Amino acid sequence: LTPSRKTLPAKLQKMRPTKRRRTNEAGDSDSEKEVEAQSCSEKLADLLQEHRSLREAGRHIPSFNVSIADSLAAFGAMPCLAPWRKDVDDGEDDEDEDEEGDEKEKKKDQAAQKSAANELTERVLCASGSGSNGTLYVAQRSVPLDLLTEFDLPGNQSFGAVWTLERPAEEPLLQEAEPLADKTADPMATLRAALAASQSASKVVSDHRFVVMGGESATMVLETTEEIEETTKHISFDSKSKTLTAGTVLGGRLAVQVTPRQVRFMRAFRSRGSDFPPALDLKAHFGLSSPASSASVLEPFVAISFEDGSLRLLAITDESDKPYIELSSKLAQDWASDVLTVSLFRTPSGGVYLVTLQAAAQGTMRLVDLKTMTEIFLAKHVLDFPPIIRNHLRCEGAHLDHLRSLTDLGAALPKATVERAKKEEEGWKDEEEKLDSKTGASTRSELSIETVALELFNVDGDDVGPTLALLRVGRPLILYRSFLAPAPTKGHEEDHVLPFYFSIVEHDFGNLIEHQPPGSYRAVAEMRNPNGTPAGAVVLPPHAGIPGLWLAAKRNQLYIHPLSGTKVVGFSQLRAACCGGTMGYFALCAQDGSTSIAAQVQTPSQVASLAPEGTSQGAVAFDLQWPIPVARHSLKRTPHLMASRPGDSLVAIAVSETVLESPPGPGDEDNDPLAEDWSIVRKPPVEYSPPPMPRAQPRFELWIDDAKNLSKLGRYRFTFDLNEHVLCMQWLTLPGFPSPSLVVGTGVNTGEDLTCRGRILIFSTHDHDPGILPAIYQRALKWPVTVVGQWGNYFIHSEGSKLYFERWENNAFAKLAFFDASMCVTAMSSIKSFLLLGDLRRGLDFVQWKEDKESNTRNLRRLSRSPPTGFLTVLACDFLVCGKSLGLVALDHNGTANLYQYTPHSDGREGDQLLRSCATFFMGYPCRAVARLNAGAGQQSLLMASGGGELLCLKPINDQVYRTVATLAGMLSTRLPYRAGLNPRGMRIPDGAPALVAPRKNIEDGSNLRTFTFLSAPLQAQLAEKMRLPEEAIMKVI
C-alpha cells in the first residue's frame, strides 16, 4: 500500500467562498492600518497556510495505491470451462464421409477407449479473475512432458532404474578440505575433511555425462554428448549384475556402482584412464555370506544393507592407497542390525544423515548424524503408517501414534486401546529376548518382502524440512511432510535431535503396490536448479501400472501431480547437450503388450500459443507449483463465457471491461428494429434524476481466434452495446453458413421496469481479415436468449421461457417447433434425441424431440420434470452415462448437485411425469461450467468448475462398487473421530424443502473415502473386520 491523492470531479469540489469587499470604517487612518498589519503578520501567515490546506482537502481525497507483491496459487471463481484443441497426431479421428456406419461406430469406440486411457493427458481451457487480473489457463492433470527422442532397449533385460551422473567441476573441490597427509590420523578427522569437501560439491551443478540403467541381471551405461549412445569401452562398471544404486563422489570425479556382490569405481572425468580404485568384493571384505539388498551413495558416503539385516558404511577418500574408510564400527550395534532398507540424506546446511528402517517393533525408523555419529531421531511402528511420526527420543506418548486417526490427531484414545498397546509392547520385548534366531529371521523376512523403500529428500529450498517417502506392498505411495517440533522441555535443550516431526499427506492416487521390483529400483529421483537448490522430486512405483508422482512445493505447500500414463518405471533429471539446450529428463517406460522397455529423453512441455508477441520467450511453460499444472495467459479483462471447437482449433471467449455509463443517444430509438412493437416498455414509469457520478458497468466484447496462437487472442473482435450482456454461445455447423460458425445469444437488462430484450448473432472468421468482425447474421428479440444449440440441421435457441427449433430456409430461419418451459431456460444439454432443460426456478425438464419424415410432423414432448417440492434454480445441467443407465444432473445456485433418473413407470410419487430423485450432494460452491468427458468404454463423467476455484469430477460407478463405498462411508463417519465432532458425510446433505420421498444417498464424497487408504494399519484392520472384507479389497475398490 502506498498513499496517494485523488482529485474529485470539478462539480464535487468545495468551491472557494466568495468574500464581500471590506470598506474602511470612519476614523481609521492609514498609519493605524499599517501598524495592525505588522502585528498580525505571523498570525496571518498561519491562517493562510490553514486556508490552503482546507482548500486542498476540498479538492482532493486521500487514498492508497495497491500493488500486488505476491499471490497465492489459486484459480478463483471459474465461470467458464472448455476442452483444449486436439493435437495434430489425433487426426485419425476425422471420419470419411464414404465410410459405413459400423466402421464409424468402431472408430468412435476406439477413440473413446484411447481418450479414457489417456485421461491424465487431456487438457482443458478455463478462465477466472476480474478486470486486469483476468487470466486464461491451459490445465492438464498430469505433468506435461514432450518426447524428444525414444529408442528400444534389449528385450531380455527388464530395466527398471536409471541414474544420471554429473561431470566433475572445473576446479578441484577438495582443495578446501583439510590436508590428508597423515595416514595415521583419526578416521573421523578424514571424515570431517570429506564432509567439508562434499558441502562445497553439493552447491555446484554441472551437466550429466553418463546415464546408468539397471535391470534384473544387467547394467547398461550411456554417454551423453550431442547424442546419447551406449558406451562399453573403458567402463569399469559391472554390466552383468543388477545395480542397486549409482552415484558420484569426490566432486563428481569418481563414479560408484553398488551391486549385490561388489562396489565398483570409475573415474568420471577421465574414463579412458585406469587410475581408479579396484572393485570392492563385499563378501571377502566384510565376511558376509548374504548379498546386498539396498544401498545409497551420497558424497562422501556409501551405505549398504544386506539380506541378513546387517549394515555397512563406507566413506570415499581421494587417497590412492586408501580409497575408502570403513565406518561401520562407529555405528551402535542396534543401529546396524535387522535393517530392511537404508538411504542417505543431505541437509541444506551440508550435513549427511543415515536413514534406516529396521524390522523391530513393526518398523523402526532411525536417523543418525554421520558428522557426530549420534542418533537424532527414532520412531517405531512406521510400517503401521501412523498419521504422525514423532521422535521417541523426545516426545512422550509417541509410541501410540499408530493408533491415532488422521481425521483427528488430538482425540483421546480409548482406555482399552491403550492397554492393548502396552501389552503388545511388553510382548515384543519378551520376544526379542526369548525368540530363537529362526523365528526372528522369519519375522524379518516377512517384513523385507513387503517393504520396498524408505527415503528422506528435499522438495523445495523454502520448505520447513524434508519430505519422507515410504513404500510397502499392499499400500499406495505414502508421503510424509515435516513440520517443526515443539521446543524441547527443560533439561533437554542441549540434546542433539532432529527438530522435525512428520505428518502423512493425503493425495488422489491410491493405486496399490502389488509386489517388489523385479530388478533394479530407484524410489526417489531428486531435481535440482542450476544454482543447486532443490527443484522438486519424483517418487516412482516399483512396477508398471501405477503412475509416478511428481512433487513440487511453494511456501511449504506440497503439490502432487502424476506422471503421464502408468508405464514409467525409471526417471531421472538430465542436463546434457542432447536435450537441446534445455532441462531434460531420462525415463524408462514399459511397452504395451510386451516385457520390453523403451528409453525416452523428455523435455518440459510448453504452450507456444500462449507466448506473448514480441517477447524473447518462445513459449509459456506449465507451472507445477499449482494444484494442477497450468500455463497462464493474461487477458486484462473479466472472462464470462468460453466456447471451443477442438477439431478445428477454434476458441471464442466473451470478456468485459468496466466503463462509465453514458446517456442514450438521440437516435437510438430510430435505429431500433423493434421500434413498432408496442409491448416493449422503453421508458420507466417513474421519473428519476441521474446520479451525481456516472455508474460503472461492464461492456462486453467477443474475442475469436485460433487455439494454436492464443497469445494473439482478440485479433477478431466484436464489441456489444453498453447494456448488452453475452448469455450463451456455441460453435455450430448450420446449413447456409460457413462451417463452423459461432452463435451468440445476448440479453439487455436496463432495470426491472423495462423489457429485457436480446439478440442472436452469428459470426465467422472465414474470408475475414483480423480486426473488427461483423456479424454475418443478427436478429433482435424482445426476450433474452439464454441457450443456443444444434440438433442435426436444426438451430435451437431460447426466447425467455420458450425453446424453438428452427431451420434455415430462403435466407431466414423458419420456426418448426417450440416448447413452453416454466419461467426462463437457463441451461441446456442434449444426448441423441433427448434434451435436458434447466429453469430459473422450476428445476429440470426432460424433453424428447420427435420427427416423422413420412407424415412431416415434428414435436417437442416433455417426458418428465423434476419434483415440484420447492424452487430449484439451475445454473448448469448435463447427462451422466454409465452403460445403459442415464443420469440427469442439475447444478443449482446453492452449490448442490441434484441427480435424477427417468423411469417410465410411476410408483404413485415418482416416475413417469416426475423424475426419480436419486441423490443431492452439497459441493460447497455453485458451478456454472460443466463439461462431459469420456471415462472409459460406455461411461461418461462430468468435469465441473466451481465458484470457489475448484475442479470437481462426478464419475459413475456400478451398483456393487457403490454398495461397498456406501458402507465404508458410513463406517468412517461413525467409527472415526473428527475434528470438533463434525460429520463429513452430514456436511454433504443440503438444506432445502422436504422431498416427496426419503432422501437417497447415491453420491459419495471421494475425498472422504480416500481417508481409508491413508489410515494406520490397526484402524484399517478394525474397519475391514466390521465390513468383513480384506483391507486390500477395500482399497482396490476405492
Side-chain angles (χ1 to χ4, degrees):
L1 294 176
T2 56
S4 65
R5 292 194 309 168
K6 292 184 178 180
T7 304
L8 290 173
K11 61 181 180 180
L12 294 181
Q13 292 185 13
K14 295 180 181 179
M15 302 303 296
R16 185 175 180 179
T18 57
K19 290 185 177 182
R20 186 175 57 182
R21 185 179 296 275
R22 182 178 179 182
T23 59
N24 293 336
E25 297 179 0
D28 292 341
S29 62
D30 294 338
S31 60
E32 291 178 353
K33 293 179 182 180
E34 184 177 356
V35 172
E36 184 179 356
Q38 291 177 357
S39 63
C40 297
S41 58
E42 296 180 359
K43 295 181 179 181
L44 182 59
D46 296 339
L47 182 61
L48 291 175
Q49 182 66 26
E50 184 70 18
H51 183 268
R52 293 192 191 97
S53 63
L54 293 175
R55 183 179 58 183
E56 292 296 321
R59 294 181 178 179
H60 303 86
I61 57 173
S63 181
F64 293 93
N65 293 327
V66 181
S67 60
I68 299 177
D70 202 356
S71 59
L72 296 175
F75 286 106
M78 290 184 287
C80 47
L81 178 72
W84 175 245
R85 67 178 180 88
K86 291 185 178 180
D87 295 332
V88 180
D89 297 339
D90 295 338
E92 68 271 12
D93 294 336
D94 297 336
E95 299 173 354
D96 187 43
E97 294 181 357
D98 299 332
E99 291 181 351
E100 298 293 335
D102 295 341
E103 188 67 22
K104 289 183 178 181
E105 293 296 329
K106 184 178 179 181
K107 283 192 172 184
K108 288 182 179 179
D109 294 340
Q110 292 176 353
Q113 294 176 5
K114 180 179 178 182
S115 177
N118 300 327
E119 59 181 0
L120 293 179
T121 61
E122 292 289 338
R123 295 182 181 180
V124 295
L125 285 171
C126 54
S128 66
S130 176
S132 60
N133 295 323
T135 306
L136 177 67
Y137 299 93
V138 178
Q140 178 175 320
R141 187 64 189 95
S142 62
V143 177
L145 297 174
D146 292 335
L147 179 62
L148 194 60
T149 183
E150 181 180 14
F151 53 92
D152 294 331
L153 299 176
N156 57 348
Q157 290 296 330
S158 179
F159 293 95
V162 58
W163 297 268
T164 49
L165 308 182
E166 294 181 351
R167 298 174 181 268
E170 298 296 335
E171 298 180 357
L173 295 173
L174 293 182
Q175 62 184 3
E176 302 178 5
E178 300 177 5
L180 305 176
D182 188 5
K183 308 297 190 223
T184 62
D186 182 13
M188 295 303 296
T190 306
L191 175 61
R192 287 191 292 271
L195 281 173
S198 66
Q199 185 175 358
S200 302
S202 63
K203 300 178 182 179
V204 179
V205 175
S206 57
D207 291 344
H208 295 103
R209 180 172 183 179
F210 295 108
V211 177
V212 181
M213 297 179 294
E216 293 184 9
S217 59
T219 298
M220 181 182 293
V221 180
L222 307 179
E223 187 173 7
T224 61
T225 53
E226 295 295 335
E227 299 179 351
I228 183 169
E229 56 186 358
E230 182 182 4
T231 177
T232 57
K233 191 175 181 181
H234 306 293
I235 298 297
S236 61
F237 280 3
D238 188 357
S239 61
K240 297 182 180 181
S241 297
K242 177 178 72 173
T243 298
L244 298 178
T245 187
T248 58
V249 294
L250 304 181
R253 294 180 295 166
L254 185 66
V256 182
Q257 178 202 24
V258 182
T259 68
R261 298 293 181 182
Q262 289 182 329
V263 178
R264 294 219 172 191
F265 304 94
M266 179 180 68
R267 289 290 179 184
F269 75 102
R270 198 180 299 156
S271 60
R272 289 181 171 80
S274 59
D275 54 337
F276 47 81
L280 174 64
D281 186 272
L282 299 178
K283 180 179 179 180
H285 184 80
F286 296 116
L288 300 175
S289 58
S290 61
S293 58
S294 66
S296 181
V297 175
L298 185 62
E299 188 168 7
F301 299 102
V302 178
I304 308 172
S305 67
F306 295 83
E307 291 184 358
D308 61 357
S310 58
L311 173 66
R312 296 296 182 268
L313 181 64
L314 302 175
I316 309 301
T317 68
D318 201 24
E319 300 180 22
S320 58
D321 57 341
K322 193 177 181 181
Y324 44 82
I325 302 173
E326 185 176 352
L327 301 174
S328 305
S329 60
K330 302 295 182 181
L331 301 176
Q333 183 178 0
D334 56 341
W335 300 352
S337 61
D338 214 14
V339 177
L340 299 175
T341 181
V342 65
S343 62
L344 296 169
F345 167 71
R346 186 182 301 280
T347 65
S349 61
V352 179
Y353 294 162
L354 176 69
V355 185
T356 62
L357 180 63
Q358 299 172 278
Q362 198 61 22
T364 300
M365 172 183 166
R366 295 182 189 270
L367 269 66
V368 178
D369 189 348
L370 295 182
K371 184 176 182 180
T372 59
M373 289 297 174
T374 57
E375 185 181 25
I376 61 174
F377 191 89
L378 173 66
K380 299 180 180 180
H381 296 280
V382 174
L383 291 180
D384 281 334
F385 302 95
I388 182 173
I389 300 178
R390 294 186 290 179
N391 195 346
H392 291 201
L393 300 176
R394 172 189 288 183
C395 181
E396 297 181 1
H399 62 286
L400 300 177
D401 286 343
H402 65 290
L403 302 176
R404 303 185 185 277
S405 173
L406 60 88
T407 55
D408 187 5
L409 296 176
L413 294 175
K415 184 178 180 180
T417 302
V418 176
E419 292 178 354
R420 185 169 59 250
K422 289 182 179 180
K423 292 180 180 180
E424 291 178 356
E425 290 286 346
E426 294 175 356
W428 283 331
K429 292 180 180 179
D430 295 339
E431 288 180 1
E432 291 177 0
E433 296 176 358
K434 299 179 180 180
L435 281 180
D436 54 71
S437 59
K438 182 179 179 180
T439 307
S442 64
T443 304
R444 184 196 174 279
S445 176
E446 181 181 352
L447 290 177
S448 63
I449 293 174
E450 298 178 352
T451 305
V452 179
L454 173 72
E455 290 200 24
L456 205 62
F457 55 95
N458 292 312
V459 177
D460 188 73
D462 295 334
D463 283 350
V464 172
T467 302
L468 180 68
L470 178 58
L471 285 73
R472 187 182 181 183
V473 175
R475 283 277 189 159
L477 304 179
I478 301 296
L479 302 173
Y480 286 87
R481 289 283 283 177
S482 60
F483 62 95
L484 289 176
T489 58
K490 187 176 181 180
H492 297 275
E493 295 84 354
E494 301 298 330
D495 293 347
H496 181 51
V497 296
L498 189 73
F500 306 113
Y501 294 160
F502 299 90
S503 62
I504 199 168
V505 178
E506 297 183 72
H507 54 79
D508 298 329
F509 312 99
N511 306 71
L512 303 183
I513 299 175
E514 298 178 358
H515 55 78
Q516 286 275 8
S520 299
Y521 173 61
R522 184 186 182 190
V524 179
E526 296 187 58
M527 312 294 174
R528 289 203 294 171
N529 290 315
N531 59 359
T533 58
V538 174
V539 181
L540 296 165
H543 54 78
I546 303 176
L549 302 183
W550 187 300
L551 310 184
K554 188 176 183 180
R555 296 186 185 87
N556 203 43
Q557 174 68 41
L558 184 66
Y559 301 104
I560 304 176
H561 313 299
L563 294 178
S564 300
T566 60
K567 303 297 183 181
V568 180
V569 295
F571 198 88
S572 184
Q573 190 179 28
L574 180 63
R575 296 182 299 272
C578 60
C579 296
T582 61
M583 182 67 68
Y585 309 99
F586 192 92
L588 300 178
C589 302
Q591 300 283 7
D592 293 332
S594 65
T595 58
S596 60
I597 301 295
Q600 297 180 352
V601 178
Q602 303 173 345
T603 56
S605 180
Q606 297 179 332
V607 183
S609 60
L610 294 183
E613 187 178 5
T615 60
S616 59
Q617 187 179 6
V620 175
F622 281 83
D623 189 357
L624 301 182
Q625 294 176 332
W626 271 66
I628 61 174
V630 294
R632 299 186 294 271
H633 174 68
S634 179
L635 297 174
K636 303 297 184 182
R637 299 287 193 279
T638 302
H640 294 273
L641 289 174
M642 185 188 304
S644 68
R645 189 173 177 84
D648 297 311
S649 296
L650 291 173
V651 173
I653 182 170
V655 298
S656 68
E657 63 175 341
T658 302
V659 297
L660 296 179
E661 183 182 32
S662 59
D668 290 349
E669 296 183 1
D670 298 337
N671 299 328
D672 188 0
L674 301 177
E676 298 180 358
D677 193 339
W678 58 270
S679 63
I680 298 177
V681 180
R682 295 181 175 84
K683 294 183 179 180
V686 179
E687 295 288 340
Y688 71 96
S689 58
M693 294 186 64
R695 294 176 294 186
Q697 58 184 13
R699 178 189 289 274
F700 278 73
E701 290 184 355
L702 177 66
W703 293 355
I704 305 176
D705 216 320
D706 195 332
K708 298 178 181 178
N709 195 356
L710 293 178
S711 63
K712 299 181 180 179
L713 187 62
R715 290 188 305 162
Y716 298 93
R717 65 175 61 208
F718 179 84
T719 303
F720 295 90
D721 295 339
L722 186 59
N723 294 316
E724 190 172 19
H725 291 226
V726 177
L727 302 180
C728 58
M729 60 182 181
Q730 182 114 13
W731 288 99
L732 305 178
T733 55
L734 297 173
F737 294 92
S739 179
S741 299
L742 181 71
V743 181
V744 180
T746 67
V748 181
N749 186 10
T750 55
E752 61 182 6
D753 297 326
L754 306 181
T755 302
C756 182
R757 303 166 54 183
R759 276 198 299 175
I760 295 176
L761 302 98
I762 301 180
F763 299 90
S764 176
T765 59
H766 185 66
D767 295 335
H768 279 281
D769 295 330
I772 298 177
L773 184 67
I776 59 177
Y777 173 85
Q778 62 175 322
R779 185 188 353 162
L781 303 169
K782 65 174 183 178
W783 304 99
V785 181
T786 53
V787 296
V788 293
Q790 181 179 4
W791 192 92
N793 293 329
Y794 301 133
F795 172 51
I796 309 174
H797 75 280
S798 67
E799 297 180 17
S801 61
K802 293 183 181 295
L803 185 76
Y804 291 96
F805 269 62
E806 297 181 352
R807 183 172 58 191
W808 182 257
E809 294 179 346
N810 300 325
N811 296 326
F813 281 107
K815 288 182 169 58
L816 304 177
F818 71 92
F819 174 77
D820 269 324
S822 298
M823 182 174 291
C824 180
V825 180
T826 58
M828 181 183 70
S829 181
S830 64
I831 183 170
K832 294 186 177 180
S833 62
F834 300 100
L835 299 177
L836 187 62
L837 305 178
D839 192 78
L840 181 64
R841 297 290 282 173
R842 299 295 184 180
L844 289 179
D845 287 315
F846 186 47
V847 181
Q848 185 181 21
W849 162 260
K850 278 191 175 183
E851 181 180 13
D852 190 352
K853 295 184 179 180
E854 295 182 359
S855 60
N856 197 22
T857 59
R858 309 171 186 87
N859 64 73
L860 281 166
R861 182 170 67 97
R862 176 194 286 164
L863 298 177
S864 186
R865 60 174 299 178
S866 57
T869 56
F871 294 114
L872 179 62
T873 300
V874 180
L875 300 183
C877 61
D878 213 326
F879 293 96
L880 197 65
V881 181
C882 183
K884 296 182 179 180
S885 300
L886 187 65
L888 316 178
V889 180
L891 308 177
D892 64 18
H893 68 292
N894 293 319
T896 303
N898 302 270
L899 179 62
Y900 299 95
Q901 188 178 17
Y902 171 69
T903 55
H905 304 288
S906 174
D907 61 356
R909 293 175 297 178
E910 291 182 324
D912 193 13
Q913 297 185 8
L914 290 182
L915 293 173
R916 181 177 181 269
S917 177
C918 296
T920 54
F921 185 83
F922 180 65
M923 298 180 294
Y925 294 94
C927 296
R928 288 180 50 193
V930 60
R932 197 190 319 157
L933 303 177
N934 289 325
Q939 286 191 352
Q940 291 183 347
S941 59
L942 298 183
L943 181 66
M944 301 168 288
S946 77
E950 299 173 322
L951 288 173
L952 305 99
C953 181
L954 189 61
K955 187 174 182 179
I957 56 178
N958 58 49
D959 293 338
Q960 183 178 0
V961 173
Y962 178 76
R963 285 194 293 268
T964 304
V965 164
T967 305
L968 177 61
M971 289 285 185
L972 292 174
S973 60
T974 57
R975 296 188 174 273
L976 293 183
Y978 286 89
R979 296 175 182 87
L982 299 178
N983 188 343
R985 206 180 188 195
M987 178 261 183
R988 298 300 184 181
I989 301 176
D991 296 331
L996 295 177
V997 296
R1000 301 181 179 94
K1001 299 178 180 179
N1002 290 324
I1003 301 179
E1004 293 296 342
D1005 187 359
S1007 60
N1008 183 39
L1009 292 171
R1010 75 181 182 191
T1011 301
F1012 180 84
T1013 307
F1014 299 95
L1015 284 177
S1016 62
L1019 294 182
Q1020 277 192 352
Q1022 293 178 13
L1023 293 175
E1025 183 181 359
K1026 295 293 182 181
M1027 294 182 62
R1028 297 181 181 180
L1029 288 174
E1031 299 97 309
E1032 185 176 353
I1034 298 176
M1035 286 191 284
K1036 285 184 177 180
V1037 170
I1038 298 175

